[in-house]
Amino acid sequence: MRLFLDTSVLLAACGSAKGASREIFRLATVNQWTLVATPYVLTEVERNLPDLPPSAGAGWSGLQAELLVMNDVLTVDQLAVFDVPKDRPILFSALAWADVLLTLDRADFGKLLGTAFYNLAILAPGHFLHRERDAGRLRENRPALE
């Protein structure tokens, strides 16, 4: 499954080693999730990193290496009414490259959270993890007991 991570999720993962955003990275390999972003998202992360604690920059280096970076998609050939022009590249790129858009941006994606946009699920990371766990699909890489 391909998960598109928007700027808010990447910044949350950089800013804290705990929480659902970082958990997405920790569980990606064992669950065979491909973590996707675009240059537009990476630029937004770089622009906002200075607002986070200095440790976030070091965290970003490691997390960025785990991302599959795809091209930005600026238009779609389907009817799309989305009131936030600055986030259209995120929505359209996620639609083109992923199965799920993960976002914490309630201001711009709030009306779409928990819904789908042309079969693209739009969820907060915590809700995605709960959905996968409830469906019996979430594999957690806990150390084996000795």
Side-chain angles (χ1 to χ4, degrees), residues 15-145:
S16 174
K18 299 180 180 182
S21 295
R22 184 62 75 90
E23 209 46 14
I24 296 295
F25 279 89
R26 189 180 74 77
L27 297 173
T29 301
V30 72
N31 286 282
Q32 299 179 347
W33 300 332
T34 302
L35 306 180
V36 180
T38 61
Y40 181 87
V41 172
L42 301 183
T43 299
E44 283 191 326
V45 170
E46 296 286 342
R47 189 176 63 244
N48 288 287
L49 265 179
D51 296 336
L52 298 177
S55 61
W60 173 234
S61 298
L63 297 176
Q64 187 175 5
E66 297 183 42
L67 297 172
L68 172 64
V69 179
M70 302 297 288
N71 292 329
D72 289 305
V73 175
L74 304 177
T75 61
V76 292
D77 60 356
Q78 295 149 316
L79 179 61
V81 177
F82 187 62
D83 296 336
V84 188
K86 74 173 185 65
D87 284 330
R88 283 187 189 134
I90 292 171
L91 182 61
F92 296 168
S93 296
L95 181 63
W97 305 123
D99 304 298
V100 179
L101 166 59
L102 296 180
T103 183
L104 293 167
D105 184 351
R106 295 189 186 282
D108 295 337
F109 287 99
K111 291 179 183 177
L112 293 175
L113 273 172
T115 68
F117 179 78
Y118 290 107
N119 294 322
L120 171 72
I122 302 172
L123 300 166
H127 292 134
F128 171 76
L129 293 170
H130 284 292
R131 182 189 86 167
E132 294 302 294
R133 184 174 290 119
D134 291 348
R137 294 186 295 255
L138 187 65
R139 298 168 73 200
E140 299 191 51
N141 55 350
R142 298 180 193 268
L145 297 175

